[in-house]
Amino acid sequence: IAFLAKRYDTIGIDLVAMCVNDILTLGADPLFFLDYYATGRLSADMARDVVKGIVDGCCQSGCSLVGGETAEMPGFYSDKEFDLAGFAVGAVDHKKVIDGKRIRPGDAVIAALSSGLHSNGYSLVRKVLLERKKMKLGGYVPELGRTLADELLMPTRIYVKGYQTVSAKVKVKGMAHITGGGLPGNLPRILPDGLAATIFEHSWPVPPIFPMIQKLGKVPDHDMKKTFNMGVGYAIVVAPADADSTVALLKSSGYPAYQIGFIEQGGSHRLRYV
């Protein structure tokens, strides 16, 4: 999408976000980030825009960009193609690692909302919107309130500062970064054996990009839920008495949030929608 739109200043934020949001689930504060930029022939303008996004992502997560590598590989990449990789290092006191072991029945599931698609499901997005429906990236889409390119290149939200605000006052029991696999593929992984999550399906606003993809692509509801975040970018599990304050703390730090479910004794399911 970035290549087609010739816009490269946001994907660096996505690169950082997908790393720091993952290590954050253990309660780790991001310390530093390194990137790898591979291309056929280095374009200073493109590389500048990419690195700008990486710097923006590091600023949002409070970590340092301490280095990286640039590799020119003509013949493997075309002159106007590049590939990105990166990793983050964080730190957490061993006694304060958040691993979900303290989660109990009755605990509340709090959602910090996503900024849109984040970085998942783009093969399906391209197939439905660009290949089948021939939509133009520069075209204004009334349902979205912006151009298609603006929507699809919306950077992944970084949840570090929201968690830090919450953890200063609330005991967080478990966290999940909702990426590929959606809620069903990510939230159950932090639950102790024998427990399951019950999710109130209509308890948060779903960004309009998701129903648009589902309608135009005739994508079954089950496939939407296991492919996309559906508006939930990050999940936090806390004691029921801390649910309201967790939502309020997230909102006060700029993260729209809702209680979307609770934890219960599990049967054959690990997550169910009601």
Side-chain angles (χ1 to χ4, degrees):
I1 300 294
F3 290 142
L4 290 172
K6 295 182 172 59
R7 288 171 50 179
Y8 312 107
D9 60 341
T10 61
I11 52 176
I13 301 175
D14 290 307
L15 183 68
V16 175
M18 296 301 283
C19 296
V20 298
N21 286 343
D22 274 353
I23 65 172
L24 184 66
T25 61
L26 296 173
D29 292 317
L31 298 179
F32 60 86
F33 188 85
L34 289 95
D35 67 88
Y36 171 69
Y37 182 101
T39 185
R41 184 181 301 275
L42 183 64
S43 163
D45 289 342
M46 292 170 68
R48 178 197 62 214
D49 287 348
V50 171
V51 173
K52 176 186 180 298
I54 294 172
V55 170
D56 288 345
C58 288
C59 289
Q60 290 179 34
S61 55
C63 68
S64 299
L65 177 61
V66 298
E69 180 177 356
T70 302
E72 284 188 305
M73 291 188 283
F76 190 80
Y77 298 101
S78 73
D79 288 353
K80 295 184 178 181
E81 279 188 345
F82 61 83
D83 201 5
L84 291 176
F87 74 93
V89 173
V92 58
D93 188 304
H94 186 266
K95 295 179 181 179
K96 297 180 180 179
V97 170
I98 298 172
D99 56 13
K101 290 181 179 178
R102 297 181 179 88
I103 295 175
R104 297 291 182 267
D107 285 344
V109 180
I110 309 300
L113 301 191
S114 71
S115 53
L117 287 166
H118 284 188
S119 299
N120 299 104
Y122 274 81
S123 296
L124 180 57
V125 169
R126 292 197 309 272
K127 188 175 188 65
V128 171
L129 302 185
L130 303 185
E131 294 179 23
R132 291 184 180 175
K133 297 302 177 180
K134 309 296 183 185
M135 295 180 70
K136 303 298 182 184
L137 287 172
Y140 180 82
V141 183
E143 301 99 299
L144 304 176
R146 54 175 66 96
T147 67
L148 186 61
D150 286 343
E151 180 68 34
L152 300 185
L153 293 175
M154 181 74 67
T156 301
R157 181 166 278 153
I158 292 174
Y159 297 95
V160 173
K161 293 180 180 178
Y163 161 71
Q164 291 171 342
T165 299
V166 170
S167 63
K169 296 185 177 181
V170 171
K171 182 67 175 179
V172 175
K173 295 188 173 188
M175 295 188 288
H177 182 202
I178 310 305
T179 55
L183 277 168
N186 289 281
L187 185 55
R189 294 191 302 179
I190 69 169
L191 302 180
D193 290 342
L195 298 186
T198 293
I199 302 298
F200 305 124
E201 190 162 4
H202 303 293
S203 57
W204 72 91
V206 176
I209 184 64
F210 296 111
M212 189 176 85
I213 293 167
Q214 183 169 19
K215 179 181 178 181
L216 295 178
K218 298 180 180 179
V219 183
D221 193 56
H222 172 74
D223 288 341
M224 290 294 298
K225 290 174 180 173
K226 74 176 186 179
T227 302
F228 298 108
N229 65 62
M230 300 303 290
V232 176
Y234 207 75
I236 301 176
V237 179
V238 297
D242 292 325
D244 289 345
S245 58
T246 300
V247 170
L249 287 165
L250 285 168
K251 288 181 176 179
S252 71
S253 54
Y255 295 85
Y258 296 81
Q259 179 176 351
I260 63 166
F262 63 93
I263 306 301
E264 62 178 353
Q265 292 290 345
S268 59
H269 66 276
R270 294 281 279 167
L271 183 145
R272 66 180 181 127
Y273 290 91
V274 295

